[in-house]
Amino acid sequence: MAVQEVDIDRLMARLDRTDVLLLREFYVTGQPYPHDTMGHVLRLLADRFQQKYKVGEKHLSYSAIRQRLENMKALGLIDKVAKTNPAIYVPLDSLAGQVRYLIFRFAGELVGIAPSVEMRI
């Protein structure tokens, strides 16, 4: 797959807090390279996400998480492994740095700070 550029400003307008939290599950693992990204089985990701985060007073449903992942796939931020059941979604190594920057920039805007140069991983 060819390395593609991500238009950060365009994506910031299309993603919300929940989308960014889902992207964190793929791109911000806290582990050193080469284990700094992680793929997920949809059912396990949905269960873990529902345990960790609430949207308002409700959990996101399994189908809502699947739909958000499909939207992120359409935007080119993650990929889906073909012909797997259950569905497996994986991060794109070629975009890891740009997507991490998007995550940190979004987090900075939520708390009102600009991302520093160190956040550009």
Side-chain angles (χ1 to χ4, degrees):
M1 176 175 283
V3 176
Q4 61 191 75
E5 287 294 315
V6 174
D7 183 0
I8 300 294
D9 293 326
R10 181 181 64 84
L11 288 175
M12 291 286 289
R14 301 224 24 212
L15 299 175
D16 65 4
R17 177 182 178 272
T18 305
D19 293 328
V20 173
L21 290 173
L22 278 168
L23 282 173
R24 284 181 60 104
E25 296 292 323
F26 291 95
Y27 288 100
V28 183
T29 64
Q31 300 294 322
Y33 181 82
H35 306 292
D36 55 345
T37 59
M38 180 187 314
H40 291 283
V41 173
L42 176 57
R43 173 53 70 188
L44 299 177
L45 173 65
D47 289 345
R48 186 165 75 221
F49 192 81
Q50 289 171 344
Q51 290 173 0
K52 286 173 83 172
Y53 306 107
K54 279 188 174 182
V55 178
E57 290 298 315
K58 297 182 178 182
H59 292 291
L60 280 175
S61 69
Y62 173 81
S63 61
I65 291 174
R66 181 190 52 75
Q67 188 172 27
R68 285 178 179 269
L69 292 174
E70 287 296 324
N71 289 338
M72 285 187 269
K73 179 183 176 289
L75 290 172
L77 297 173
I78 60 175
D79 198 13
K80 184 177 180 181
V81 179
K83 297 181 182 180
T84 58
N85 188 12
I88 299 173
Y89 292 87
V90 294
L92 301 173
D93 290 335
S94 61
L95 295 178
Q98 294 172 350
V99 174
R100 282 191 194 108
Y101 175 72
L102 173 112
I103 291 166
F104 292 126
R105 182 171 166 190
F106 193 90
E109 288 187 6
L110 286 178
V111 295
I113 59 171
S116 67
V117 174
E118 293 82 28
M119 288 183 162
R120 296 181 188 192
I121 299 173

